[in-house]
């Protein structure tokens, strides 16, 4: 695939300027820099106005393309006066000195295009009484719509037109006074009408007719038909090989890109390594690479030492201490004689992993300590990347990177671990930092050396102690460490070192003691994973706030699950009634309050606004903590409030979210990542309740940018300081916005997977098909993106740029 190829996404005529084309497209590598476009008609270069669109809206538009598209080109081209008598229009794309044809269309096809309408059918619904269609149609002048039956006869309809703000990105020349959005409904439907219907669109000069296919009562065959157009576009862009690969991926639900292909595309090149060797930094810290050795295989020892000597940044020291056999010792000594940067300690006695590391640490005289194991490999660019980060921010005191595993023969790389930025709760759930880890020597002096009582998890204990001493912790999202996989190492055969996991549990428990947090730690699901049980003496009062409109069957399931299952009893339930119309609803309110004094119903007046309703409920609530809860949820077990509250009572935490499941025990919510779907979305949707996820991310307590308000625990003080939910966001994005406000206050948002609930929300909500809903959703999405644009553009700190935004399962970026 030509990585500089330009794809024309759409070519059309300008809505108001005669003989003028507009085309939209993107470059394969996702960016415009370094590229140039030229438009021609029969060899004559045409003037062209170019606009570059960037950001979250662009990524959202092109989700699912073969590459991550961050920038798109919108170009306006004036055709020559007598173009209809000519032959063809084409676009050439240039990169450096190479020029290639990107697009060509004949004059005959342009003439047909000039008289066509741009349209899109979004939803179709039919039942025994009516047919309704929503979508948009764009063209010059007034456009009339007709709904035809299978015989081509027009049906009696009523049509509503409305403004579509989302179309301004595609049709920048379209004015707000235009109303391209439509809702077409039959006023009456004769009995026995067929199932084939057509929508006809006419203006003074343009015409279009389409058979309606996107019925919301369709089955799998209909779904395949709907996707055919998208498949053809993918084929045109990416070729038959990529298309077949994508089809196979979708059918098998397997990762589309192997790690070998990813490495080939993204790993540092020989040319880049050469450039790194020649780069001069204003700050040149010395790195002491500390390596404990124990009877190391000379082959692996040589590869480890070579990997340090091959670093593109040269100000380093290699410190070796521990016990080597005769060949290994001779090898180490020969290296030390040739390179004075290699420092050898006692290599004849074994003091255990911590003792050997401390002996090597005593040799270190660098500015930063870097930890490495005696049989692993450090990529050539590792110390360069550390130096680059420190030159960009001299305040950094701890650095860690992503890592992968390497086979015994050193030929195969696998299991890449693309990590989040510093995530304290995840670190207390598992040692996700591991390698490569570098720490300022002054921090080591404050934290103390390695403690032999935690041997097997001495690195986790050391990392926790270092991170307790500073908040200037930086993550480099690059693979800067290759962990060799032994059959008797924790990397491949965890049962061989059960003692290491017990040591890790004890290390996390010691961390809580040092921080003054009353907690015990248990081994959790999966080796090397830990569960924290908080032992606070206080039992704060919790107000469970449940908005409700009718649907008392759902509400009763929710309330009864709390009343019957919750082990934590110091709570009230505040039902916020809003606009119910059924008599049965108010009878239920009277009954539930009479039977359960902990239940109160308060009455909100006004149209539906999720933010206002919850804010109203919060003002009526008496608790120190608010549990925002949807009325279509159900506690699965009794630990929900207690487990969420345990985390939320910490001073550094503002919000805690839960794991939400669909009725079939698949995941609906396990945290929120900024960038999913172009804005934000839930993680691991559709995965099994019992799946642990990417490196345990489903099953581990961890910090996230946001969690859903379908079940969200928040301190009252934090809620009030943040100003509650933003009332401009009536339905969409209000919970994510609220979480970002709380994070802006310096508080953590934590996901608690042991708090499990069913959320009986449909897996397919259907379309926002009314004009009001479409416009409202678009306005709220625009508001959210504009408010948090910088945060979204920077990327989610708890995700990783090497993972895809197209899927919620943490699979690799293509």
């Amino acid at each position: 695939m030509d990585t500089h190829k330009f794809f024309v996404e759409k070519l059309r005529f300008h809505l108001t300027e005669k003989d003028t084309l507009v085309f939209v497209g993107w470059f394969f590598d996702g960016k415009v820099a370094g590229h140039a476009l030229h438009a021609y008609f029969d060899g004559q270069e045409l003037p062209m106005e170019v606009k570059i669109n960037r950001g979250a809206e662009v990524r959202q538009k092109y989700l699912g393309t073969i590459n991550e598209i961050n920038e798109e080109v919108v170009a306006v081209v004036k055709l020559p006066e007598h173009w209809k008598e000519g032959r063809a229009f084409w676009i050439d794309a240039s990169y450096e000195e190479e020029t290639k044809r990107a697009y060509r269309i004949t004059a005959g096809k342009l003439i047909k295009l000039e008289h066509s309408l741009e349209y899109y059918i979004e939803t179709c619904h039919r039942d025994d009484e009516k047919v309704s269609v929503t979508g948009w149609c764009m063209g010059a002048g007034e456009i009339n719509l007709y709904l035809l039956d299978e015989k081509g006869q027009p049906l009696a309809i009523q049509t509503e037109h409305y403004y579509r703000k989302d179309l301004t990105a595609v049709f920048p020349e379209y004015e707000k006074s235009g109303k391209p959005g439509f809702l077409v409904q039959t006023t009456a439907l004769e009995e026995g009408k067929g199932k084939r219907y057509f929508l006809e669109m006419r203006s003074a000069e343009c015409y279009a007719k389409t058979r309606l296919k996107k019925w919301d009562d369709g089955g799998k065959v209909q779904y395949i038909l709907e996707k055919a157009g998208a498949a053809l576009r993918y084929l045109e862009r990416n070729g038959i090989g990529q298309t077949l690969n994508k089809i196979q991926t979708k059918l098998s639900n397997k990762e589309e890109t192997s790690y070998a292909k990813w490495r080939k595309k993204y790993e540092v090149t020989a040319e880049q390594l050469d450039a790194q060797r020649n780069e001069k930094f204003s700050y040149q810290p010395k790195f002491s690479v500390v390596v404990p050795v124990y009877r190391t295989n000379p082959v692996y020892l040589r590869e480890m030492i070579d990997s340090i000597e091959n670093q593109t940044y040269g100000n380093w020291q290699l410190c070796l201490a521990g016990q080597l056999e005769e060949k290994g010792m001779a090898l180490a000594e020969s290296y030390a004689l040739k390179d004075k940067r290699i420092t050898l300690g006692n290599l004849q006695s074994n003091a255990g992993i911590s003792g050997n590391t401390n002996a090597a640490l005593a040799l270190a005289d660098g500015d930063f300590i870097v930890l490495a194991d005696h049989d692993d490999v450090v990529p050539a660019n590792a110390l360069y990347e550390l130096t680059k980060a420190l030159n960009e921010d001299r305040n950094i005191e701890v650095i860690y990177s992503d890592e992968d595993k390497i086979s015994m023969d050193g030929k195969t790389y696998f299991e890449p671990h693309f990590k989040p930025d510093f995530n304290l709760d995840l670190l207390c759930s598992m040692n996700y930092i591991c390698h490569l880890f570098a720490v300022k020597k002054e921090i080591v002096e404050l934290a103390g050396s390695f403690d032999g009582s935690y041997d097997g998890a001495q690195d986790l204990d050391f990392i926790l102690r270092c991170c307790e001493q500073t908040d200037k912790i930086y993550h480099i999202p690059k693979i800067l460490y290759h962990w060799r996989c032994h059959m008797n190492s924790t990397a491949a055969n965890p049962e061989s070192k059960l003692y290491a996991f017990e040591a890790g549990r004890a290390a996390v428990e010691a961390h809580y003691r040092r921080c003054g947090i009353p907690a015990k730690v248990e081994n959790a699901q999966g080796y090397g994973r830990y569960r924290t049980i908080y032992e606070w003496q206080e039992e704060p009062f919790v107000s469970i706030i449940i908005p409700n409109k009718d649907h008392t069957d759902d509400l009763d399931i929710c309330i009864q699950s709390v009343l019957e299952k919750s082990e934590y009893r110091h709570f009230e339930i505040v039902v916020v009634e809003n606009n119910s119309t059924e008599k049965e609803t108010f009878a239920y309110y009277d009954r539930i309050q009479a039977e359960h004094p902990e239940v109160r119903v308060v009455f909100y007046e006004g149209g539906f606004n999720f933010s206002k309703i919850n804010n109203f409920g919060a003002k009526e609530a008496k608790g120190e903590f608010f549990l925002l809860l949807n009325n279509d949820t159900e506690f699965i077990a009794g630990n929900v409030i207690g487990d969420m509250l345990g985390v939320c009572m910490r001073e550094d935490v503002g919000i805690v979210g839960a794991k939400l499941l669909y009725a079939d025990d698949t995941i609906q919510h396990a945290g929120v990542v900024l960038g999913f779907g172009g804005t934000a979305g839930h993680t691991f949707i559709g995965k099994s309740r019992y799946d642990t996820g990417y490196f345990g991310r489903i099953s581990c307590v961890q910090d996230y940018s946001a969690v859903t308000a379908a079940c969200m625990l928040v301190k009252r003080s934090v809620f009030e300081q943040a100003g509650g939910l933003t009332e401009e966001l009536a339905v969409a994005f209000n919970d994510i916005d609220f979480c970002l406000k709380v994070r802006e206050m310096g508080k953590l948002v934590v996901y608690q997977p042991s708090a499990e609930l069913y959320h009986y929300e449909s897996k397919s909500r259907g379309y926002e098909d009314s004009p009001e809903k479409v416009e409202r959703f678009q306005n709220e999405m625009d508001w959210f993106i504009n408010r948090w644009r910088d945060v979204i553009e920077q990327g989610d700190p708890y995700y990783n740029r090497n993972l895809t935004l197209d899927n919620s399962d943490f699979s690799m970026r293509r």
Side-chain angles (χ1 to χ4, degrees):
M1 173 62 71
D2 178 6
T3 57
H4 303 297
K5 184 175 180 180
F6 182 73
F7 295 90
V8 176
E9 184 73 18
K10 189 70 178 176
L11 178 85
R12 61 178 177 83
F13 274 85
H14 198 280
L15 295 177
T16 59
E17 295 182 13
K18 187 174 176 60
D19 297 334
T20 301
L21 292 176
V22 179
F23 69 84
V24 179
W26 45 274
F27 290 95
F28 180 86
D29 59 9
K31 296 182 179 179
V32 177
H35 300 88
L37 294 172
H38 303 274
Y40 299 89
F41 194 91
D42 288 351
Q44 173 190 349
E45 186 166 1
L46 305 176
M48 181 168 58
E49 295 179 11
V50 175
K51 177 185 176 184
I52 310 301
N53 292 330
R54 298 179 173 88
E57 295 93 338
V58 173
R59 288 196 299 274
Q60 183 183 53
K61 180 178 178 181
Y62 293 108
L63 286 174
T65 54
I66 192 171
N67 237 16
E68 187 173 300
I69 309 304
N70 294 292
E71 299 177 343
E72 72 171 0
V73 176
V74 180
V76 180
V77 183
K78 182 70 175 179
L79 292 171
E81 185 177 356
H82 302 293
W83 66 268
K84 293 181 181 179
E85 300 168 11
R87 299 181 61 188
F89 167 84
W90 65 84
I91 302 167
D92 286 350
S94 301
Y95 182 79
E96 294 180 346
E97 297 180 358
E98 185 179 21
T99 299
K100 289 189 176 182
R101 183 67 42 82
Y103 186 85
R104 184 181 184 276
I105 184 171
T106 64
K109 290 184 177 179
L110 280 177
I111 292 171
K112 291 182 180 178
L113 184 66
E114 185 182 25
H115 296 288
S116 66
L117 290 169
E118 300 290 338
Y119 68 90
Y120 185 71
I121 307 300
E122 290 175 326
T123 68
C124 304
H125 175 78
R126 59 188 168 193
D127 53 34
D128 293 337
E129 297 180 353
K130 67 178 180 179
V131 172
S132 61
V133 185
T134 66
W136 57 264
C137 182
M138 189 75 78
E142 183 181 355
I143 300 171
N144 296 308
L145 304 177
Y146 306 91
L147 190 61
L148 311 178
D149 64 15
E150 58 189 4
K151 296 179 180 179
Q153 298 300 309
L155 301 173
I157 60 172
Q158 59 183 19
T159 304
E160 184 177 351
H161 294 275
Y162 53 96
Y163 172 64
R164 288 287 298 262
K165 185 177 181 179
D166 55 320
L167 294 180
T168 57
V170 184
F171 300 90
E173 72 271 31
Y174 127 73
E175 298 179 358
K176 190 169 183 178
S177 57
K179 294 184 177 181
F182 62 76
L183 169 61
V184 177
Q185 292 181 304
T186 54
T187 54
L189 195 62
E190 296 178 18
E191 187 175 351
K193 280 286 182 184
K195 288 193 174 182
R196 295 178 63 189
Y197 297 92
F198 300 86
L199 185 67
E200 190 175 77
M201 296 155 276
R202 290 181 179 272
S203 70
E205 297 182 356
C206 301
Y207 171 81
K209 179 180 177 181
T210 183
R211 180 182 171 185
L212 302 178
K213 297 177 181 179
K214 195 176 286 189
W215 300 105
D216 57 18
D217 57 355
K220 184 173 288 187
V221 174
Q222 184 61 48
Y223 176 81
I224 292 170
L225 289 173
E226 291 170 19
K227 294 299 181 184
L232 288 172
R233 284 206 311 155
Y234 191 92
L235 174 63
E236 181 184 36
R237 291 172 179 164
N238 306 312
I240 187 65
Q242 287 284 358
T243 303
L244 292 174
N245 187 34
K246 186 176 180 71
I247 292 170
Q248 180 61 34
T249 298
K250 293 294 185 183
L251 291 175
S252 62
N253 197 30
K254 292 181 179 177
E255 194 174 82
E256 184 169 346
T257 306
S258 72
Y259 183 47
K261 290 180 180 178
W262 184 94
R263 279 177 51 81
K264 186 176 180 180
K265 183 174 181 180
Y266 292 110
E267 279 296 283
V268 63
T269 64
E271 292 79 5
Q272 291 170 328
L273 292 174
D274 286 340
Q276 290 175 10
R277 292 185 180 96
N278 295 322
E279 187 166 349
K280 303 299 181 184
F281 291 102
S282 60
Y283 173 49
Q284 299 185 29
K286 184 175 183 179
F287 296 100
S288 293
V289 183
V290 171
V291 181
V293 296
Y294 178 67
R295 297 183 179 179
T296 313
N297 183 322
V299 173
Y300 303 147
L301 182 63
R302 181 185 296 277
E303 288 185 23
M304 184 275 296
I305 297 175
D306 284 345
S307 75
I308 301 301
E309 290 213 311
N310 290 334
Q311 292 297 304
T312 59
Y313 177 78
N315 193 14
W316 53 262
Q317 173 195 23
L318 177 61
C319 306
L320 304 179
Q323 185 179 43
L324 289 175
E325 294 175 329
E326 185 176 345
K327 288 184 179 180
M329 190 178 302
L331 179 68
E333 289 172 346
S334 69
Y335 270 98
L337 285 173
K338 297 175 186 176
D339 193 334
K340 298 304 180 183
R341 295 173 297 179
I342 299 176
T343 307
L344 304 182
N346 186 339
L347 298 177
Q348 296 182 332
S349 62
N350 177 35
I353 183 68
S354 291
N356 293 344
T357 306
N358 286 336
L361 190 60
L363 305 173
D365 60 11
D367 303 295
F368 278 78
I369 305 300
V370 180
L371 304 181
D373 287 343
H374 61 166
D375 49 5
D376 294 339
V377 176
V378 182
N381 62 319
L383 298 185
Y384 166 87
E385 294 292 349
L386 299 185
T387 307
K388 181 181 177 183
L390 288 167
N391 274 268
E392 291 171 354
D393 183 356
R394 291 286 300 274
N395 293 315
I396 294 171
E397 295 182 320
V398 169
I399 313 178
Y400 67 94
S401 75
D402 298 341
E403 65 185 302
D404 63 12
K405 295 184 176 68
I406 188 172
S407 61
M408 298 296 291
D409 60 9
K411 295 180 180 180
T412 304
Y413 300 88
F414 59 102
E415 286 189 26
H417 189 180
F418 296 119
K419 307 167 187 176
D421 289 353
F422 185 63
N423 193 320
L424 177 60
D425 284 282
L426 184 59
L427 185 59
C428 289
S429 298
M430 58 179 282
N431 183 7
Y432 82 92
I433 288 181
C434 225
H435 305 293
L436 186 69
F437 181 77
V439 55
K440 200 170 186 178
K441 192 172 184 181
E442 288 84 348
I443 297 298
V444 176
E445 291 168 353
L446 291 171
S449 57
F450 284 75
D451 187 339
S453 63
Y454 299 106
D455 273 2
Q458 74 289 333
D459 50 352
L460 175 57
D461 170 65
F462 181 73
I463 289 169
L464 283 167
R465 284 188 281 117
C466 289
C467 292
E468 289 165 17
Q469 299 298 326
T470 180
D471 60 357
K472 298 173 178 63
I473 303 168
Y474 185 71
H475 164 231
I476 300 175
K478 295 184 178 182
I479 299 288
L480 301 182
Y481 196 88
H482 304 308
W483 182 3
R484 195 180 302 273
C485 187
H486 294 267
M487 284 310 297
N488 62 348
S489 77
T490 53
N493 183 15
E495 292 88 348
S496 67
K497 289 191 177 180
L498 292 177
Y499 76 93
F501 306 127
E502 173 56 27
R505 184 205 64 75
V508 177
E509 199 165 81
H511 158 74
Y512 286 122
R513 283 198 301 272
R514 290 190 297 271
C515 295
I517 297 173
K520 65 178 181 180
V521 178
E522 298 179 345
N523 287 303
Q525 177 186 10
Y527 293 114
R529 294 176 192 156
Y530 311 107
R531 178 170 180 248
T532 300
I533 300 172
Y534 294 90
E535 298 179 321
W536 305 103
Q537 295 302 307
E538 304 86 355
E539 289 192 357
F541 192 54
V542 177
S543 294
I544 304 172
I545 300 171
I546 308 176
N548 187 71
K549 177 184 178 182
D550 294 319
H551 296 285
T552 53
D553 289 345
D554 292 335
L555 178 63
D556 191 55
I557 290 172
C558 176
I559 290 177
Q560 294 300 334
S561 74
V562 176
L563 294 173
E564 295 172 6
K565 296 178 181 178
S566 181
E567 297 164 2
Y568 190 87
R569 304 306 301 179
H570 198 205
F571 65 79
E572 66 170 348
I573 297 176
V574 181
V575 178
V576 187
E577 154 58 31
N578 63 101
N579 301 305
S580 292
T581 58
E582 298 172 3
K583 292 181 179 179
E584 295 83 358
T585 301
F586 298 96
Y588 173 81
Y589 290 158
D590 292 340
R591 185 172 69 255
I592 195 73
Q593 290 179 97
E595 294 174 357
H596 299 281
E598 59 266 64
V599 179
R600 288 192 294 129
V601 179
V602 297
F603 292 82
Y604 164 83
E605 295 182 359
F608 180 79
N609 181 311
F610 184 80
S611 297
K612 287 184 177 181
I613 292 167
N614 277 283
N615 290 345
F616 176 81
K619 290 176 182 177
E620 297 291 326
K622 301 174 182 177
E624 301 170 61
F625 289 78
F626 299 151
L627 179 63
L628 308 187
L629 191 64
N630 276 21
N631 65 348
D632 55 354
T633 58
E634 178 184 4
F635 281 23
I636 293 175
N639 62 319
V640 172
I641 299 176
D643 284 5
M644 295 177 76
L645 188 60
V647 179
C648 206
M649 286 176 69
R650 279 178 17 209
E651 179 61 31
D652 58 338
V653 175
I655 291 173
V656 177
K659 181 200 280 187
L660 301 184
L661 306 170
Y662 293 113
D664 62 358
D665 276 338
T666 59
I667 291 172
Q668 190 255 350
H669 168 270
V672 170
V673 165
L674 300 178
F676 280 1
T679 47
H682 294 184
T683 63
F684 301 108
I685 295 172
K687 293 292 184 181
S688 167
R689 172 185 178 184
Y690 307 103
D691 195 337
T692 59
Y694 180 76
F695 283 90
R697 294 289 294 267
I698 295 176
S699 60
C700 287
V701 176
Q702 63 201 275
D703 308 322
Y704 266 114
S705 287
V707 293
T708 179
C711 181
M712 173 192 288
L713 186 69
V714 57
K715 290 184 176 79
R716 182 187 197 113
S717 59
V718 169
F719 187 91
E720 292 174 347
Q721 186 180 344
L725 301 184
T726 299
E727 296 183 357
E728 287 84 354
L729 300 173
V731 178
F733 304 108
N734 40 49
D735 47 2
I736 302 170
D737 169 77
F738 178 66
C739 288
L740 294 180
K741 290 195 295 183
V742 169
R743 278 183 36 77
E744 203 171 43
M745 293 162 49
K747 299 293 185 181
L748 295 175
V749 175
V750 184
Y751 159 68
Q752 172 57 281
S754 65
E756 292 185 315
L757 299 87
Y758 287 118
H759 188 196
Y760 298 113
E761 170 189 69
S762 169
K763 281 192 174 182
S764 177
R765 283 179 171 269
Y767 295 93
E768 297 275 49
D769 56 359
S770 74
E772 295 81 6
K773 287 181 179 179
V774 169
E775 184 171 3
R776 185 214 70 223
F777 179 82
Q778 185 64 44
N779 287 338
E780 293 186 2
M781 183 173 68
D782 289 349
W783 191 100
F784 175 81
I785 291 176
N786 289 330
R787 170 65 177 85
W788 299 105
R789 183 177 299 278
D790 290 345
V791 176
I792 296 171
E793 291 299 326
Q794 289 169 10
D796 194 313
Y798 298 116
Y799 199 52
N800 188 297
R801 71 183 189 191
N802 298 298
L803 301 176
T804 184
L805 295 173
D806 289 357
N807 198 309
S808 68
D809 64 356
F810 286 49
S811 52
M812 276 187 299
R813 174 183 176 181
R814 290 195 290 265

